[in-house]
Amino acid sequence: MEPSLLPERKPVRFLKIVTPILITQVALYMVTFFDILMTGRYDTYHLAGVTIGSSFWVPVYTGLAGILMSLTPIIAQHIGARRNTEVRPAVQQGLYVSAALAIVVFLLITLVFFPVIRSMGLENPVGPIAIRYLQGMSVGLLPLFAYTVLRSFFDALGSTRVSMFIILISAPINVLLNYLLIYGNFGFPELGGAGAGYASGLTYWIVFGIALGVALGGRPFRKFSLFAQWQRPKWLYWKEILVIGVPIGLSIFVETSIFSVVTLLMSSFSTEVISAHQIALNFTSLLYMMPLSISMGATILVGQSVGGNQYADAKRYSYMGITFAVAFSLLSIAILLIARSSIASLYTTDPAIMALASQFFIFGALFQLSDAVQAPIQGALRGYKDVNITFIMGFVSLWVIGLPVGYAAASFTGLGPYGYWVGLIAGLTVGAAVLSFRLRFIQRKHEMPAQ
């Protein structure tokens, strides 16, 4: 860990860490964005199929991949404490865990998700399209999870630009594969929505291949000899990864799955409502990349500071993240309220879907402030390795408060499908308030031994 920077230099360091993360997250988002955009231009039923398939894929993948995010604070604290020899075994054991998680997801998709989709009574051919989309995504399960381990390694060292360059190289490839496989151009099979899944699955192999080459040959990373003296699986390392990672994964799962459950509950509405909801969710997810990136940057900088016993720096980086995120949220709100119709027109030419999506964007604007407070606090707490309360609060705020309130608003008021968004806004607001108190408690706990 480098010596503590002067206070006026800390915002510069924070932005140097966060900016490449933001570009990486936006590029990753663009993969999903172009899946939705290009499928929507292809056919409304195929868009609905991809929407349903994504509703199963996103919470399970992000939740289980979230377990591997524990490697970021683990490695960051090793680096902060100058325990460089502990980095290699952490990465190797993380790769073992990633392979196990990929197998779990494949079995869930095949044995659970496919039968559930077939039993949902979806309009024909939405169900079969969703299944074929998931089959395509499954092609890239193993490299996707393995890449998550390598990205955690790069990011924990503060080398966030590496992940940025890898994704910037691979994202255009995914768009090209979409063009070939969705529409059947240049002699490729015309797969529609399923083509978006296969394009993403193939792209994940490319991403992992590039990351592996960088980890092996990149000058800043060679000294760690990540793949030398390869170890067998060791429970001691798995335990540390899982003890920290499972609450992180569960926290992410309860956050992402709630949106998927809402999407599935909306299957009782028309295909147009499902598509409009997905459009609004897709664009607000783009805006969420900023607080999410700030959250990931906070994990790195707080983790390194805590590892180096620089608790005052950890506290400054925590509040710096909240300040940046709240400032950006005000811009997000303005964009959603002023340009909502124009944004909807980017996704579809169907007037009915455009009108519905424009209304969803109004409620999406209300999400922004709560997300801007909650996300960086979660990142800071992960930097402290404090993960259990984050999970519990995420579950309570979204599932105990948000979903019941949303269901009641959708079923017993005139809000209809918009009622679910109202419930989620209420839950997010409560979660942000409680986690604010938790962060202050943890900061005081770490300050006490220093006093």
Side-chain angles (χ1 to χ4, degrees), residues 210-426:
I210 298 171
L212 184 61
V214 172
L216 289 171
R219 182 177 300 176
F221 314 119
R222 285 199 296 265
K223 66 180 180 181
F224 293 98
S225 303
L226 292 182
F227 301 97
Q229 302 175 359
W230 193 266
Q231 299 181 349
R232 294 180 178 181
K234 293 185 177 180
W235 171 243
L236 183 64
Y237 287 101
W238 281 52
K239 181 180 178 181
E240 183 180 22
I241 293 171
L242 295 175
V243 166
I244 299 173
V246 168
I248 294 176
L250 289 174
S251 178
I252 294 172
F253 176 78
V254 299
E255 292 172 10
T256 55
S257 62
I258 192 73
F259 293 101
S260 297
V261 168
V262 167
T263 299
L264 296 177
L265 288 172
M266 285 189 180
S267 63
S268 61
F269 295 96
S270 66
T271 299
E272 288 78 12
V273 169
I274 296 175
S275 297
H277 162 75
Q278 181 62 26
I279 288 170
L281 190 58
N282 185 257
F283 188 78
T284 53
S285 295
L286 171 62
L287 297 178
Y288 181 66
M289 292 303 102
M290 175 58 87
L292 176 61
S293 300
I294 292 171
S295 173
M296 297 171 73
T299 298
I300 295 167
L301 292 171
V302 171
Q304 290 182 353
S305 299
V306 171
N309 295 321
Q310 297 173 357
Y311 298 118
D313 285 356
K315 183 177 180 180
R316 290 190 187 98
Y317 285 128
S318 300
Y319 290 131
M320 198 177 297
I322 297 171
T323 302
F324 283 140
V326 169
F328 179 79
S329 72
L330 300 178
L331 176 62
S332 299
I333 292 170
I335 291 172
L336 286 170
L337 294 179
I338 295 171
R340 61 184 188 274
S341 297
S342 299
I343 297 167
S345 67
L346 294 175
Y347 289 85
T348 182
T349 56
D350 187 316
I353 297 177
M354 287 174 58
L356 289 166
S358 296
Q359 292 301 309
F360 276 116
F361 281 137
I362 295 175
F363 295 94
L366 301 177
F367 270 99
Q368 303 306 306
L369 194 57
S370 296
D371 273 340
V373 175
Q374 182 169 253
I377 291 177
Q378 289 177 329
L381 288 172
R382 288 166 186 161
Y384 284 104
K385 291 186 179 179
D386 183 74
V387 293
N388 292 316
I389 297 299
T390 301
F391 156 60
I392 294 171
M393 227 17 258
F395 177 78
V396 171
S397 63
L398 293 175
W399 287 87
V400 177
I401 299 173
L403 188 60
V405 171
Y407 179 80
S411 302
F412 305 112
T413 72
L415 289 171
Y418 308 115
Y420 288 109
W421 287 58
V422 171
L424 296 179
I425 292 166

Side-chain angles (χ1 to χ4, degrees), residues 28-319:
L28 286 170
Y29 158 85
M30 294 304 289
V31 173
T32 303
F33 172 82
F34 279 105
D35 284 353
I36 299 298
L37 179 65
M38 298 175 78
T39 304
R41 296 286 181 178
Y42 180 80
D43 180 80
T44 299
Y45 286 104
H46 282 255
L47 174 59
V50 171
T51 299
I52 296 298
S54 297
S55 298
F56 284 91
W57 167 268
V58 171
V60 171
Y61 157 67
T62 54
L64 291 178
I67 294 174
L68 300 172
M69 288 176 62
S70 63
L71 288 166
T72 301
I74 289 172
I75 296 173
Q77 290 201 14
H78 285 325
I79 296 299
R82 302 184 184 277
R83 297 189 298 264
N84 290 359
T85 56
E86 293 295 321
V87 173
R88 182 179 68 249
V91 171
Q92 291 180 359
Q93 297 301 316
L95 288 170
Y96 281 126
V97 176
S98 75
L101 293 175
I103 293 171
V104 169
V105 174
F106 178 78
L107 292 176
L108 278 172
I109 289 173
T110 305
L111 303 179
V112 179
F113 293 172
F114 289 171
V116 170
I117 292 172
R118 292 189 184 103
S119 67
M120 287 177 63
L122 297 166
E123 294 182 65
N124 194 41
V126 174
I129 292 169
I131 289 175
R132 291 197 296 272
Y133 172 80
L134 288 172
Q135 288 172 335
M137 297 292 285
S138 299
V139 170
L141 275 172
L142 190 62
L144 180 58
F145 278 98
Y147 167 70
T148 304
V149 175
L150 295 180
R151 181 184 175 183
S152 295
F153 164 69
F154 298 141
D155 289 353
L157 269 62
S159 301
T160 53
R161 286 178 294 179
V162 173
S163 299
M164 177 186 73
F165 285 123
I166 291 172
I167 297 302
L168 286 178
I169 292 170
S170 58
I173 298 174
N174 184 80
V175 174
L176 174 61
L177 291 173
N178 271 349
Y179 179 73
L180 298 175
L181 296 176
I182 292 176
Y183 303 107
N185 290 308
F186 297 103
F188 283 80
E190 183 179 338
L191 302 178
Y198 281 100
S200 295
L202 293 173
T203 302
Y204 295 143
W205 281 100
I206 296 171
V207 169
F208 174 66
I210 298 171
L212 184 61
V214 172
L216 289 171
R219 182 177 300 176
F221 314 119
R222 285 199 296 265
K223 66 180 180 181
F224 293 98
S225 303
L226 292 182
F227 301 97
Q229 302 175 359
W230 193 266
Q231 299 181 349
R232 294 180 178 181
K234 293 185 177 180
W235 171 243
L236 183 64
Y237 287 101
W238 281 52
K239 181 180 178 181
E240 183 180 22
I241 293 171
L242 295 175
V243 166
I244 299 173
V246 168
I248 294 176
L250 289 174
S251 178
I252 294 172
F253 176 78
V254 299
E255 292 172 10
T256 55
S257 62
I258 192 73
F259 293 101
S260 297
V261 168
V262 167
T263 299
L264 296 177
L265 288 172
M266 285 189 180
S267 63
S268 61
F269 295 96
S270 66
T271 299
E272 288 78 12
V273 169
I274 296 175
S275 297
H277 162 75
Q278 181 62 26
I279 288 170
L281 190 58
N282 185 257
F283 188 78
T284 53
S285 295
L286 171 62
L287 297 178
Y288 181 66
M289 292 303 102
M290 175 58 87
L292 176 61
S293 300
I294 292 171
S295 173
M296 297 171 73
T299 298
I300 295 167
L301 292 171
V302 171
Q304 290 182 353
S305 299
V306 171
N309 295 321
Q310 297 173 357
Y311 298 118
D313 285 356
K315 183 177 180 180
R316 290 190 187 98
Y317 285 128
S318 300
Y319 290 131

